[in-house]
Amino acid sequence: MAAHIRVVSQAPNQNMLVGYPGISATLPRLEGKVEIRPGTGVSAPVTISTVTVSLWRRESIHPSADSLTKKHLAAPRKEVVEIVGEKRLLYQAPPGKESEIVYAMDLPFVLFIPVGRGGEETARRVPSASLQLSSRTAETCYEIVVWVQQGTIETKTFHCPVPITRYDTLSTFGMYNRPESAERITDHLVTLGINLPRWSYGPLDPVSVYIKLAPNPDWLKKATRATINKITISIEEEVIYNHEGDEPTRKTKTLARTTQAVGIKLGEQGYFTTLGLVFPARDQRDNAGILPRGKNAFPMYQVSGFTTTASLYKIEYYLTVKAHMQSAKDILLRQPIVVCPLDHARCKEEMEAIEQAAKDAAMINPDNPMLPAPTIIRTQDWNALHVLGMTMVGNTRKPLIQ
């Protein structure tokens, strides 16, 4: 008979994802339970041979999907589907039996998410975060896939979407809070230098940059005649589609920009200033102010995208500083930055939880995670129908009244 399959978390009202993907000390994993019940009728027994569970990643790109004119003329959507980690065998019929006839099965499982150890092969990479860009130009989603073999008749599959977020780009980590400096010279007259106090940002985080324009001491007389017309800073998002292929496609979009009018000569001492802007956040509410229902496979981010590298695409961000000069060439400097899906305040809130998750993970052995015992109710078990809320009254099945 047909089987009804569903995947649930082991504890009610808790997330199936335990730990923090991207942070190996928290041992990120999916903990849940596969429930199998009769699919037709109230108490029709089910034939089960094997049950396996695994996590799959589905990635796709269509760079021209955001253009109505190019969408139908360009190449079709490119898609990659691959397994993440290892497939787990939850149940197999005893030796000598092709299958068993059961009324119910509860099979606990744990799927460990790779943490980047043991090489760069696909199965060991830290998986990229779930993401869907506008018009589905690029997307990554995950799902738990359960295979149920029912004798030699049929194999049923069940797909359960699981949103995954990465936490290794939090702006509160020390590696992102050290100053970053860079310099650029377009010609031999003027040097543009910048300094960033930190270089990881989230939605509505302030972005400040210290800017220095200095004359070349070897050409001091000519350099001091140069006039600084204005200075522009902007944040750019660059999406590289098919970045590992033969023909990568790059699309750059300016997310925010601010300009400061200067209109003075450089002078011997140079010119110093600090400019800032706010990293843009996406308004998740519609025109009526209503928060739409989220999609099961994708978390609701307040940014359109964030720093990530997937198999088919890569998203990078740059802080661009341009000095518009007179009597000297304009100077353009692009400094890479990291964009986190969480703002700085939420990153701080997560730090304590990450520390606690790391302490909890230290007690777990990945080779033997000590799962609860599976529950299998066979047709020949005593009072087997009770698990389905049924009982036998004489030769008739009746609803069980406690």
Side-chain angles (χ1 to χ4, degrees):
M1 299 294 292
H4 174 71
I5 309 163
R6 70 172 183 155
V7 178
V8 298
S9 59
Q10 289 188 18
N13 300 320
Q14 287 193 5
N15 197 339
M16 199 175 300
L17 177 63
V18 182
Y20 290 82
I23 303 177
S24 58
T26 64
L27 209 61
R29 58 204 180 274
L30 294 168
E31 293 183 356
K33 179 173 59 176
V34 175
E35 294 183 350
I36 300 177
R37 298 292 187 271
T40 57
V42 178
S43 58
V46 179
T47 301
I48 303 293
S49 298
T50 59
V51 181
T52 61
V53 63
S54 58
L55 177 66
W56 285 80
R57 174 175 58 227
R58 187 183 304 273
E59 290 182 2
S60 65
I61 57 171
H62 193 186
S64 301
D66 55 352
S67 172
L68 294 177
T69 56
K70 296 180 181 179
K71 182 176 181 179
H72 301 291
L73 299 176
R77 177 174 294 274
K78 185 175 182 180
E79 187 175 71
V80 171
V81 181
E82 56 191 8
I83 192 171
V84 178
E86 299 176 353
K87 181 187 293 187
R88 298 284 182 179
L89 177 64
L90 301 184
Y91 172 80
Q92 188 169 20
K97 284 188 177 182
E98 182 183 67
S99 59
E100 275 198 305
I101 302 176
V102 302
Y103 280 131
M105 275 187 170
D106 290 342
L107 307 173
F109 69 86
V110 58
L111 295 174
F112 290 97
I113 298 175
V115 293
R117 297 172 181 165
E120 290 297 321
E121 63 269 19
T122 302
R124 303 294 293 179
R125 293 181 192 167
V126 180
S128 56
S130 303
L131 176 64
Q132 186 181 62
L133 296 183
S134 59
S135 302
R136 295 185 62 213
T137 55
E139 67 179 16
T140 298
C141 62
Y142 294 84
E143 56 188 10
I144 294 176
V145 180
V146 179
W147 281 269
V148 178
Q149 178 75 33
Q150 296 185 266
T152 58
I153 301 175
E154 60 176 329
T155 301
K156 297 185 70 68
T157 59
F158 175 81
H159 301 261
C160 175
V162 179
I164 290 181
T165 303
R166 287 274 293 268
Y167 292 88
D168 50 343
T169 58
L170 297 187
S171 58
T172 45
F173 288 146
M175 59 183 175
Y176 298 121
N177 285 310
R178 65 172 187 266
E180 285 286 312
S181 301
E183 288 186 349
R184 181 70 188 271
I185 302 174
T186 300
D187 54 20
H188 57 280
L189 296 180
V190 183
T191 300
L192 170 63
I194 67 168
N195 183 276
L196 296 175
R198 61 186 180 94
W199 48 291
S200 177
Y201 307 96
L204 298 181
D205 282 349
V207 181
S208 61
V209 53
Y210 175 74
I211 300 172
K212 176 181 69 174
L213 285 166
N216 186 347
D218 296 333
W219 296 82
L220 190 60
K221 187 174 181 180
K222 188 175 181 181
T224 53
R225 294 175 184 169
T227 300
I228 309 169
N229 290 333
K230 60 182 179 179
I231 299 175
T232 302
I233 66 171
S234 59
I235 296 175
E236 296 179 348
E237 177 188 74
E238 186 171 89
V239 184
I240 304 101
Y241 301 94
N242 197 28
H243 65 97
E244 295 180 348
D246 297 331
E247 298 180 357
T249 302
R250 293 176 178 266
K251 288 193 175 183
T252 304
K253 179 172 62 175
T254 300
L255 303 181
R257 176 181 291 162
T258 186
T259 301
Q260 182 185 71
V262 181
I264 62 174
K265 291 189 178 294
L266 184 61
E268 294 185 8
Q269 301 299 322
Y271 180 79
F272 306 87
T273 188
T274 300
L275 290 181
L277 47 76
V278 175
F279 193 91
R282 184 177 62 175
D283 189 4
Q284 297 175 335
R285 300 181 181 271
D286 59 17
N287 295 333
I290 299 174
L291 194 66
R293 183 185 298 272
K295 299 178 181 178
N296 292 335
F298 305 101
M300 295 189 69
Y301 299 117
Q302 286 187 296
V303 288
S304 59
F306 45 84
T307 302
T308 184
T309 300
S311 299
L312 295 177
Y313 66 93
K314 180 165 60 172
I315 305 178
E316 298 175 343
Y317 292 85
Y318 296 90
L319 177 68
T320 301
V321 180
K322 185 174 183 179
H324 301 261
M325 310 293 296
Q326 185 178 338
S327 301
K329 291 184 178 180
D330 294 346
I331 309 175
L332 179 67
L333 191 153
R334 297 182 83 209
Q335 177 67 18
I337 60 174
V338 172
V339 172
C340 174
L342 307 179
D343 59 27
H344 196 64
R346 286 193 59 193
C347 289
K348 286 183 177 179
E349 294 173 358
E350 291 288 350
M351 295 304 290
E352 184 176 349
I354 291 174
E355 292 178 4
Q356 184 60 47
K359 294 177 182 178
D360 295 341
M363 314 281 289
I364 297 175
N365 180 6
D367 299 323
N368 185 17
M370 300 294 291
L371 289 172
T375 301
I376 303 175
I377 308 297
R378 300 171 178 83
T379 54
Q380 66 269 25
D381 292 344
W382 176 256
N383 286 336
L385 283 172
H386 285 195
V387 73
L388 301 176
M390 303 290 292
T391 190
M392 295 297 295
V393 178
N395 295 324
T396 306
R397 293 183 184 181
K398 298 282 188 178
L400 176 65
I401 300 175
Q402 297 290 347

